[in-house]
């Protein structure tokens, strides 16, 4: 799943500079050499005073990390999830936000964006003007999502990711296509499923090309696990389709095994295996590149029972 935050870090703020005086710097100076706000050095402070200074610096840095990168745009850490100790299925990465993506975020986020803060249950009927709603987890740069939204305006797509450039790109693509059936959610999909969706409120779930975490020691980070399906099943309507796709053969095998074993899901493929790619799932540029390299893409379609 391609979940990644933002662009180049700005110059250090005063609060960040304060933290640097406590923790030392690359110049070889130490915390003991650094002057404090009172003009003394850390060596002059008592242990309690030094601990209090460090705590204040870390708190200021924490508040900075939580500030939105764009005024009125997606929050840096909407649910404070860095305090929640659990294995995560995504690896945040930083990349540059283009001028067009930034413009789309600033203009369209207040209208079509929402932060996954875990503080409320979403009214999907109100959010999507009564349309049936499909949740998509991990949309990358949003090209496939925008195409599916444009080709099926009667279905609402709640698209979740933490990649700020991708969020801006999807908003811009949907706007240019005249699509009004896309909402972009920023944050951890597990918190969304666990705390912000009403029972039987979704008409489907799409997970296309999530991070395969190929190393054996990282398999526990894969999204499609029994515990994840336990969260998904209650928020899906009976008959709703879970549609997964991957070009990583071992992950496809795990997906098939986990979905087949779960009592709340039933394979729609008559032979109990993989399904043909549905016409509504676009063939993306990255998928095409994988196919050119000999990768085999597997689709799985399971109905919630």
């Amino acid at each position: 799943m391609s979940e990644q935050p933002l662009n180049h870090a700005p110059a250090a703020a005063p609060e960040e500079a304060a933290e640097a005086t406590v923790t030392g710097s690359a110049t070889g100076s130490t915390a003991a050499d650094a002057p404090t706000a009172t003009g003394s050095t850390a060596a002059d402070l008592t242990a309690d005073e030094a601990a209090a200074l460090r705590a204040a610096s870390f708190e200021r840095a924490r508040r900075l990390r939580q500030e939105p990168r764009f005024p009125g745009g997606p929050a840096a850490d909407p649910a404070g999830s860095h305090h929640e100790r659990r294995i995560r299925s995504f690896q945040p990465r930083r990349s540059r936000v283009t001028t067009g993506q930034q413009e789309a975020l600033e203009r369209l986020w207040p209208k079509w964006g929402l932060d996954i803060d875990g503080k409320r249950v979403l009214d999907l009927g109100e959010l999507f003007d009564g349309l049936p709603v499909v949740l998509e987890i991990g949309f990358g740069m949003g090209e496939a999502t925008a195409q599916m939204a444009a080709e099926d305006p009667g279905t609402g797509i709640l698209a979740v990711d933490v990649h700020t450039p991708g969020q801006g790109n999807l908003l811009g693509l949907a706007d240019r296509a005249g699509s009004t059936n896309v909402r972009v959610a920023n944050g951890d999909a597990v918190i969304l499923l666990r705390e912000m969706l009403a029972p039987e409120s979704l008409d489907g779930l799409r997970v296309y090309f999530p991070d395969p975490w190929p190393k054996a020691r990282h398999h526990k980070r894969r999204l499609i696990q029994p515990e994840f399906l336990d969260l998904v099943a209650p928020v899906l309507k009976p008959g709703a389709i879970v549609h997964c796709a991957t070009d990583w053969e071992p992950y496809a095998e795990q997906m098939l095994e986990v979905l087949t074993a779960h009592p709340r899901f039933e394979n729609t493929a008559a032979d109990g295996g993989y399904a043909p790619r549905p016409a509504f799932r676009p063939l993306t540029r990255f998928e095409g590149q994988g196919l050119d390299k000999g990768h085999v893409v597997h689709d799985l379609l399971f109905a919630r029972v």
Side-chain angles (χ1 to χ4, degrees):
M1 177 169 61
S2 55
E3 300 196 2
Q4 309 103 329
L6 175 72
N7 52 351
H8 306 294
E15 291 86 350
E16 296 171 310
E19 184 178 10
T21 64
V22 177
T23 59
S25 71
T27 62
S29 63
T30 66
D33 302 320
T36 67
T38 61
S40 60
T41 66
D44 300 323
L45 300 176
T46 67
D48 288 345
E49 289 171 336
L53 181 60
R54 285 195 297 272
S57 297
F58 292 143
E59 174 60 21
R60 286 192 291 269
R62 183 190 67 81
R63 289 200 307 269
L64 279 175
R65 288 195 300 270
Q66 292 179 328
E67 290 179 358
R69 295 177 176 88
F70 303 105
D77 190 7
S81 56
H82 56 285
H83 292 302
E84 187 180 1
R85 295 185 177 273
R86 62 178 173 80
I87 295 170
R88 303 199 178 279
S89 62
F90 57 88
Q91 178 61 55
R93 296 177 306 192
R94 294 183 180 272
S95 55
R96 179 178 175 273
V97 174
T98 67
T99 300
Q101 292 161 0
Q102 178 172 345
E103 187 276 333
L105 284 166
E106 293 174 348
R107 181 169 57 88
L108 298 170
W109 186 263
K111 180 181 178 182
W112 289 341
L114 62 98
D115 283 316
I116 300 174
D117 55 16
K119 295 180 180 178
R120 65 200 189 282
V121 175
L122 299 175
D123 185 340
L124 296 184
E126 179 180 354
L127 194 62
F128 286 91
D129 299 321
L131 295 176
V133 178
V134 171
L135 173 65
E136 182 178 357
I137 298 177
F139 55 80
M141 293 306 292
E143 295 98 336
T145 306
Q147 183 176 336
M148 288 186 290
E151 293 176 352
D152 184 14
T155 297
I157 301 178
L158 178 58
V160 180
D161 212 308
V162 298
H163 186 211
T164 312
Q167 292 167 350
N169 203 57
L170 175 54
L171 288 170
L173 290 171
D175 185 50
R176 289 192 291 276
S179 301
T180 60
N181 55 329
V182 177
R183 304 293 180 269
V184 178
N186 167 55
D188 191 337
V190 167
I191 294 175
L192 175 72
L193 289 164
R194 190 180 64 201
E195 301 174 21
M196 297 182 67
L197 294 176
E200 299 187 359
S201 58
L202 291 176
D203 292 82
L205 170 67
R206 297 168 180 168
V207 183
Y208 298 155
F209 305 97
D211 194 326
W213 294 101
K215 295 181 180 179
R217 68 177 183 272
H218 292 154
H219 287 180
K220 60 190 176 183
R221 298 181 180 275
R222 288 175 173 174
L223 182 64
I224 307 302
Q225 306 275 6
E227 298 79 7
F228 174 75
L229 297 180
D230 289 342
L231 287 177
V232 168
V235 300
L236 290 174
K237 297 176 182 177
I241 297 296
V242 173
H243 182 193
C244 302
T246 181
D247 63 345
W248 191 258
E249 186 86 22
Y251 197 7
E253 293 170 355
Q254 177 184 323
M255 289 179 175
L256 183 60
E257 178 181 349
V258 170
L259 281 160
T260 300
H262 200 283
R264 301 294 297 275
F265 296 97
E266 184 176 70
N267 199 337
T268 64
D271 62 357
Y274 303 112
R277 178 176 66 88
F280 65 80
R281 183 176 74 76
L283 182 66
T284 67
R285 175 167 54 90
F286 296 105
E287 183 179 356
Q289 291 172 350
L291 293 172
D292 290 341
K293 296 175 183 177
H295 295 183
V296 177
V297 176
H298 290 294
D299 285 77
L300 302 93
L301 284 88
F302 279 70
R304 194 277 216 186
V305 296

